[in-house]
Amino acid sequence: MQTVHALSPSQLTEFLLNVAITRPVFIWGPPGVGKSALVEQFARSVGLDCVSLLGSQLAPEDLMGVPQIVDGVSRFCPPAMIARKEPYCIFLDELNACSQDVQKAFYSLIHDRRVGEYTLPEGSIVIGAGNRAQDSAIVKPMSSALMNRMVHVHMKVSASEWLTWATANAIHPLVLEYLQQRPDHLWSSPPKHEEPFSTPRSWHMLSDALHAFGDAPSASMVEALAYGCLTPQHAAQFKAFGKLAADRHRLEAIFKGEARWPHAPEDRDVLYFLAQAFRARLIKALPQDKNANTGELQAVVHRSKAMLKDLAQISLEMAQIAVAEEAGQTLPAWYMIEVVRDLPRLVERQAKTA
């Protein structure tokens, strides 16, 4: 399934409020972005119970029910969790992980809101969800007949919306402060091999585990938890951030000239984290159009180039990381021209290693 246009959680909620009440909706998205939680939240917002069915664990009879003889005639009796008298939201999670037989059992439920002789109460809502083939998840081709019975929408991660939610839901301070500095680490693409990877769900798991250790988990426990929940590269930087627990605002202090880049060999992981955070801050702060610069931004440009020079004296590799392209994100072209002019050593080294 090709992603044409994806919606953030708040946009998707608005979409459901206007579309799901009239037509069945199918939500596409990678694992761990909060599809299930969003549907449950949506159901509560419209005053309906949410009944979740996990497609990957269903057999046709779990939906259709089993036959019983009534007055000499066999009738299929749907399970009690489906055959309700009051309207409700039925959530078909992992719908595209179902077998073809189960998919066929859903045809009438999705299109006609009916299972055998049972019809969903007026005002009931049908929503499906599933991962995409490129997510290395368990998915099966969805039949064209099933595809054509639903309105399809894609869900994307929004770091700003997640951080707002996290602030109000007691997410561990270390997780919250890290992602405030590195919002680009909230989600990463599922890997092609078996290893943890970063998603809103995995950061939530890490937060819960850190809370379970109390106020001061040891550095070794923080490291073990990070590597057990996150993309390895993110885990390494989270570990370094943990070492900065007593001085989490060091990058700001370096910007103000109140502190220096760490230069001890044992602090290399901390230096790597700060270089990455420095780059992320520049990408956020610097406009693409040089003419949009203000006096305040000129001060940031001047100070950042001085910081790059100091960083290069400690580690040319780290300075190169601070200005390199990563995941399709680059510093503005006009800024890089100034870096080339004022710090040619960085570019010369990159050209030799290219």
Side-chain angles (χ1 to χ4, degrees):
M1 182 83 177
Q2 295 297 317
T3 304
V4 178
H5 183 70
L7 302 181
S8 69
S10 63
Q11 292 172 322
L12 184 53
T13 298
E14 180 184 357
F15 183 93
L16 294 176
L17 283 169
N18 288 278
V19 179
I21 58 175
T22 59
R23 289 288 183 176
V25 172
F26 188 90
I27 304 169
W28 296 87
V33 298
K35 299 185 294 296
S36 303
L38 185 138
V39 172
E40 291 171 359
Q41 177 183 334
F42 162 74
R44 287 195 300 270
S45 72
V46 294
L48 297 178
D49 287 340
C50 185
V51 175
S52 297
L53 301 178
L54 197 59
S56 58
Q57 299 179 6
L58 289 177
E61 56 269 21
D62 294 328
L63 184 66
M64 301 297 297
V66 294
Q68 293 185 2
I69 305 299
V70 180
D71 297 329
V73 179
S74 64
R75 299 179 186 274
F76 280 89
C77 300
M81 65 182 302
I82 294 177
R84 296 183 169 214
K85 295 181 179 180
E86 299 296 327
Y88 67 100
C89 175
I90 182 166
F91 177 43
L92 312 175
D93 200 6
E94 298 184 8
L95 177 57
N96 58 337
C98 297
S99 67
Q100 293 295 319
D101 287 341
V102 175
Q103 288 189 26
K104 286 188 290 185
F106 278 122
Y107 284 3
S108 62
L109 173 64
I110 291 172
H111 188 256
D112 301 321
R113 298 172 184 261
R114 178 174 54 80
V115 179
E117 297 181 8
Y118 170 76
T119 301
L120 294 178
E122 187 70 25
S124 294
I125 291 174
V126 179
I127 300 175
N131 304 132
R132 307 159 305 178
Q134 63 263 38
D135 295 322
S136 301
I138 299 175
V139 296
K140 294 181 173 65
M142 193 181 296
S143 72
S144 58
L146 190 56
M147 286 283 296
N148 198 235
R149 282 168 159 80
M150 295 175 287
V151 179
H152 296 265
V153 63
H154 291 262
M155 181 177 175
K156 65 181 179 181
V157 172
S158 169
S160 60
E161 290 184 14
W162 191 88
L163 285 168
T164 299
W165 171 87
T167 301
N169 285 272
I171 293 298
H172 194 279
L174 199 59
V175 170
L176 192 57
E177 291 182 25
Y178 179 85
L179 288 173
Q180 285 170 341
Q181 294 199 33
R182 295 308 308 266
D184 53 316
H185 284 188
L186 178 60
W187 180 83
S188 61
S189 298
K192 300 301 181 183
H193 47 280
E194 297 174 339
E195 68 178 22
F197 60 102
S198 302
T199 67
R201 177 167 58 201
S202 64
W203 282 107
H204 196 176
M205 290 192 299
L206 176 59
S207 169
D208 288 345
L210 288 170
H211 276 307
F213 273 90
D215 294 335
S218 66
S220 62
M221 289 297 104
V222 171
E223 181 178 2
L225 291 172
Y227 277 97
C229 296
L230 308 176
T231 299
Q233 294 85 349
H234 297 174
Q237 293 194 47
F238 185 80
K239 169 194 169 187
F241 185 74
K243 292 174 67 175
L244 289 168
D247 184 14
R248 293 179 190 150
H249 306 289
R250 187 183 297 192
L251 182 62
E252 184 65 29
I254 297 173
F255 253 106
K256 293 179 179 178
E258 299 170 355
R260 298 178 56 198
W261 295 108
H263 56 275
E266 61 269 22
D267 287 335
R268 183 176 174 81
D269 55 349
V270 176
L271 185 64
Y272 178 72
F273 169 77
L274 289 172
Q276 290 272 19
F278 176 47
R279 177 184 168 280
R281 176 166 175 166
L282 289 180
I283 288 175
K284 184 177 180 180
L286 299 177
Q288 291 298 319
D289 183 1
K290 184 178 181 179
N291 294 327
N293 271 350
T294 63
E296 183 179 347
L297 276 172
Q298 285 294 340
V300 171
V301 170
H302 179 75
R303 178 57 188 154
S304 67
K305 287 190 290 185
M307 291 171 65
L308 276 173
K309 181 178 179 181
D310 292 342
L311 182 59
Q313 290 176 345
I314 298 171
S315 170
L316 190 56
E317 178 188 1
M318 295 298 178
Q320 289 171 341
I321 287 172
V323 298
E325 177 182 352
E326 180 182 305
Q329 291 187 317
T330 59
L331 293 168
W334 62 264
Y335 180 81
M336 289 303 299
I337 290 173
E338 293 194 20
V339 170
V340 170
R341 183 192 65 203
D342 299 339
L343 300 168
R345 184 165 168 246
L346 283 180
V347 182
E348 290 171 5
R349 180 64 176 269
Q350 285 183 325
K352 291 178 182 178
T353 57

